[in-house]
Amino acid sequence: MLTAATIIARALQIAKAPNYAAQALDTLNAILSDLCMSHDSALTRRLFSFTFDPSLASNFGSGPYSLPVDYLRASGSSGESQRAFFWTLNGVPYPMVPCDLSDFDMQVQQAGLQSYPWLWATDMANSAAISARYKFATTAALTLASTSATLVDAGDVAAGDGIAGEGIEPGTTISSITGLTATLSAGATATLSAASVFFGEPPTAYAYPPPSGAYAVSIRYQALYPPIVNTARYPWFPDDGYLIDELAGRLMEITDGARAVEFIGDGFQAGRAGRRLSRYLAQADDKKNRPQTVELDR
């Protein structure tokens, strides 16, 4: 495993771009973000737990329920994404069927319809939000304590925003913020200096029929990881060779290097980095010990 600083140094040498260190860090973060967005890797899978609340004033308890701010989609890396959202009663799991918001909107909402939920829908835009989904990522030292985060720059972070990243439990939100100190809704899992985190408006989920009890809910989901701030740390993606080749190729695009196509391809044929990534994905996530099946609509 190589640190982010070492990966950047190797890529700069290969790309023959010694004065592009700042662009290299930005580009490395873009590559890691692309991996989160494009691939269901077990490395970016997280588990979020909450409890249905039948007493919610809106939708008779159907929602909205806030999801983690780093939520991208239900996890396919856990096997079947359609079994990634389930609730339990007396130890019995009840998987829920995903549907579009338009399907949820067409369900009858009346008092007395509370039952066992079987449909769920997500609103990735968070219709209640009036600002961007992702508000602010740390650009300098952030120190996490048990229930608070000390910021160097608070941006436009406000109470109710989600926080995600290193040492943060999924679904944690900002309870209050005073100056540069943010009080967290849940305790941090670690005390870190220069932690890499980001803030934003969390997406929401809805269940139907409205739940008839305070049932425990579990969601396995694919997360968006925050940008690297401290280059002495290791990137979450373990294939150093891919990161070096992909970063070098993208830097060559910036410098108009003739070897960019060799490293990152031309849109029709994969380059060195793409071939490395394909080999990694073919062996990743411990999938060799069981058959894999095509997922069908429940």
Side-chain angles (χ1 to χ4, degrees):
M1 292 287 292
L2 301 177
T3 65
T6 302
I7 290 170
I8 288 171
R10 298 290 185 271
L12 290 172
Q13 290 173 339
I14 294 170
K16 296 180 172 59
N19 298 321
Y20 284 77
Q23 294 92 330
L25 177 57
D26 292 341
T27 305
L28 177 60
N29 280 322
I31 292 168
L32 294 170
S33 177
D34 288 347
L35 290 169
C36 289
M37 296 287 188
S38 303
H39 301 284
D40 278 4
S41 170
L43 296 169
T44 56
R45 183 179 65 224
R46 305 196 75 184
L47 175 64
F48 173 54
S49 301
F50 68 99
T51 303
F52 281 138
D53 183 3
S55 66
L56 278 178
S58 61
N59 298 308
F60 304 98
S62 283
Y65 294 98
S66 291
L67 298 173
V69 71
D70 59 352
Y71 181 97
L72 288 176
R73 56 189 172 270
S75 173
S77 66
S78 57
E80 290 189 26
S81 61
Q82 297 190 45
R83 295 182 181 179
F85 194 123
F86 63 94
W87 57 275
T88 57
L89 176 62
N90 297 326
V92 180
Y94 292 85
M96 302 183 72
V97 179
C99 70
D100 293 329
L101 280 171
S102 58
D103 293 326
F104 173 80
D105 291 339
M106 294 299 103
Q107 306 305 312
V108 177
Q109 294 282 3
Q110 293 178 345
L113 286 180
Q114 283 82 359
S115 184
Y116 287 179
W118 62 278
L119 278 177
W120 69 281
T122 53
D123 184 359
M124 297 302 294
N126 188 345
S127 56
I130 59 174
S131 58
R133 164 95 185 268
Y134 303 113
K135 284 187 173 183
F136 169 72
T138 56
T139 55
L142 179 149
T143 302
L144 292 175
S146 59
T147 57
S148 67
T150 303
L151 311 175
V152 169
D153 179 1
D156 60 351
V157 177
D161 288 346
I163 177 174
E166 294 179 290
I168 301 294
E169 287 285 352
T172 299
T173 59
I174 302 300
S175 300
S176 63
I177 185 164
T178 303
L180 296 178
T181 299
T183 301
L184 309 182
S185 64
T189 60
T191 298
L192 298 170
S193 178
S196 181
V197 303
F198 64 86
F199 303 84
E201 298 278 0
T204 53
Y206 298 86
Y208 190 85
S212 56
Y215 309 128
V217 185
S218 297
I219 305 176
R220 296 194 187 277
Y221 71 98
Q222 298 299 139
L224 176 64
Y225 277 22
I228 291 175
V229 177
N230 183 354
T231 58
R233 293 199 175 128
Y234 299 95
W236 61 265
F237 191 74
D239 192 330
D240 298 327
Y242 164 75
L243 292 178
I244 291 171
D245 282 351
E246 182 72 17
L247 179 55
R250 294 199 191 188
L251 289 172
M252 291 173 197
E253 286 188 313
I254 298 175
T255 62
D256 201 23
R259 297 176 297 149
V261 172
E262 174 191 348
F263 278 76
I264 59 177
D266 57 5
F268 298 97
Q269 186 173 1
R272 284 175 48 171
R275 293 193 294 272
R276 280 183 181 272
L277 181 60
S278 295
R279 290 195 296 269
Y280 170 81
L281 293 175
Q283 303 294 331
D285 300 344
D286 195 23
K287 292 181 179 178
K288 291 294 185 180
N289 60 357
R290 62 196 184 280
Q292 303 296 301
T293 58
V294 176
E295 182 177 336
L296 301 177
D297 191 334
R298 293 182 65 239

